[in-house]
Amino acid sequence: MDEADDLLKTAEALFTEMNKNSGDWDELRRRIMPRMEGKARQQEQANAMTAVSVFSPVAHKSLLNLASAHLLFITPMDQKWFSLRPQEEGNDYSDQDDWYSKATEAVYRALADSNFYAAAHEVYLDRCLTGTGCMFADVTRDGSLVFKHVPTGTYAIAEGAHGEVNTLVRTLKFTAQQAVEMFTLGKLPPKIQEAYRDAEKRYTEMFEFVHLVLPNSRAQFGSDMVSPRRRKWMDVYIAKDAKKIVFHGGFYEFPFLVTRFLKGGVSSYGEAPGKAVLPEIGATLLMDRVMDVAGSRAAIPSVIVSARMAGEVDLRAGGKTVIPDDLIGSQIPREWADVGDVRFMLDRQDKKEKLIREAFFNDILQVVSSVDRQMTATEVNARESERIICFFSSFIQFSQDFQTMMNRIVCLMFRNTQGAVLPDDPPDEFFIRSANGKKFELRTPKARYVGKIAQAFDRLQRYGLEGVLDSLTKYIQVTGDARIAKRLKAWEVLRFMWDCSGAPSKCIVTSSENDEMVEAEKAHEEQMRQAALMEQLAKAGKDNAAAAAQSNME
């Protein structure tokens, strides 16, 4: 019980810190994407009336555009967006580079076969809405990767010494049936056991649990074959009301991705792009209501009548109203209290909506097809560069945050014996061995990002290499001197261009196979040289013999 109390106090302290941001998050959800409010409260859906009254279609669409741009520019499903590399890269390609290339393709296949991209979209919505997004990674019984979005507001985090998120606590709600499936009946408090035995409550009554993932001070060395309570991270579930630990295990790696849109100050949480324009969102909603009233007044105007005509005016379409003779010419009944000039409100609303779109980068994210005139290839590339540049700061933050998740994915696949697995025979560089060599930990590969943002730099290198090759080709054609081509490292040139293209590594020879081909080519060249030398010696012998015979005859 003491351990459970201490852990609950830790969770409560972290949630207290998180709640400093929850007010802004609630406001952002209500005014931009109400359906996320239900997720944050672990309900089926948000309050429908609240959603209608405060929902901003402009901010909602702007958020969707920004989240979709994350999928397009950072983790595109149809393009290569990362490459696994060893921690210590050499200047030349080697067999270990070939293994990391194959491992990269294995991870791509595993992500494509999982729900990663569907979960990532929800994470990006949270990242762009509240400034912080979270996702949990695990494997199923058949070895497939599985990912789950964790809504902002249901968890609290803390950072390590270098700014990486290494602590997370969250609240979950399970029915009695779900709790038994997760933890077995005997480990649950009596109240949940009673609900499980009650046919009416088993699937309906919800119970709250606290899940804590914390660094383990008693961890042992090793990335496999370590008892759960001696692994790097504690994995604890507590039944909150009963204050009872129902599960105590461990993780080899931190299992969550926590990504921040932008990070500033000392807070562990990210900065929400829409927070700065909350006043503008409120103003546009107010002006929408005013415009609705003005439209109603214009369509169904107010009418002034005399006291004698009260209740006698027919306002129906095509209706007829009979007025007394003495009121003829008095312009009664007539419209009055006309709607004022609302054009200035339209201008103000347009300006505020523009600010909202700019806060979510939508002014830059407009698609090329929206431009009315035909664009040249240069203009298309320039527009693409503008859209990419706006993501650079957020991309750098994402790349730092995602390294923890990439480590989790690679390690899960290494321990898998079926389903999503890594290639056989990993290089020694992949392991950190214990002193006696019996235990090991995995050295986290570097995830080098090669999506549209990262390609901005690689594109310069590739274009530079292509320009050099084109110039050398023209030089050789003009001069006929091919000696300069021998100064190039042909294998490195081929491998660089191959990697930039994103083509599968199985279609190109490995570094060892290339070395064997080079040795075979050298041996063949040596054989040809020896054969030519022997031919020259034989010819010289014949010439010498003929000269001697001619001399003897003379």
Side-chain angles (χ1 to χ4, degrees), residues 224-422:
D224 200 4
M225 305 301 291
V226 177
S227 63
R229 294 200 179 196
R230 294 293 184 177
R231 295 173 185 172
K232 291 289 175 39
W233 273 268
M234 297 169 55
D235 175 25
V236 181
Y237 284 86
I238 302 175
K240 188 175 181 180
D241 291 340
K243 296 184 179 181
K244 179 181 180 181
I245 295 177
V246 296
F247 178 82
H248 198 315
F251 291 110
Y252 291 106
E253 312 85 28
F254 190 64
F256 294 95
L257 162 68
V258 180
T259 175
R260 285 69 64 91
F261 188 83
L262 287 175
K263 192 171 179 297
V266 297
S267 175
S268 301
Y269 300 91
E271 295 288 337
K275 183 178 178 180
V277 290
L278 273 175
E280 282 73 16
I281 293 174
T284 57
L285 291 172
L286 175 60
M287 283 188 278
D288 278 341
R289 292 194 292 272
V290 172
M291 295 295 291
D292 287 342
V293 172
S296 299
R297 291 287 303 276
I300 309 174
S302 300
V303 178
I304 186 172
V305 298
S306 67
R308 284 184 295 163
M309 296 182 62
E312 301 295 331
V313 177
D314 189 352
L315 296 177
R316 296 176 300 173
K320 296 180 180 179
T321 299
V322 178
I323 62 174
D325 293 339
D326 59 337
L327 292 179
I328 295 176
S330 65
Q331 298 184 350
I332 292 179
R334 69 174 185 272
E335 295 180 17
W336 79 298
D338 294 339
V339 177
D341 189 352
V342 297
R343 286 175 296 180
F344 81 96
M345 292 189 64
L346 293 174
D347 292 338
R348 285 176 57 83
Q349 190 169 31
D350 287 342
K351 291 178 180 178
K352 292 184 181 297
E353 289 181 354
K354 182 180 178 182
L355 290 174
I356 295 171
R357 295 188 181 97
E358 289 176 350
F360 289 97
F361 301 97
N362 277 214
D363 56 324
I364 302 175
L365 294 176
Q366 55 184 333
V367 295
V368 175
S369 59
S370 67
V371 180
D372 294 333
R373 59 187 177 84
Q374 186 71 25
M375 298 182 70
T376 65
T378 301
E379 290 172 321
V380 171
N381 289 333
R383 179 62 60 84
E384 187 80 357
S385 298
E386 288 178 354
R387 290 189 286 171
I388 288 173
I389 288 171
C390 78
F391 279 110
F392 188 74
S393 298
S394 186
F395 168 73
I396 293 299
Q397 184 64 53
F398 174 84
S399 63
Q400 294 174 350
D401 292 336
F402 195 79
Q403 186 62 44
T404 301
M405 176 55 65
M406 185 58 72
N407 178 47
R408 170 69 170 168
I409 292 170
V410 170
C411 292
L412 286 173
M413 293 179 64
F414 172 80
R415 289 190 295 269
N416 265 355
T417 58
Q418 61 177 344
V421 296
L422 292 179

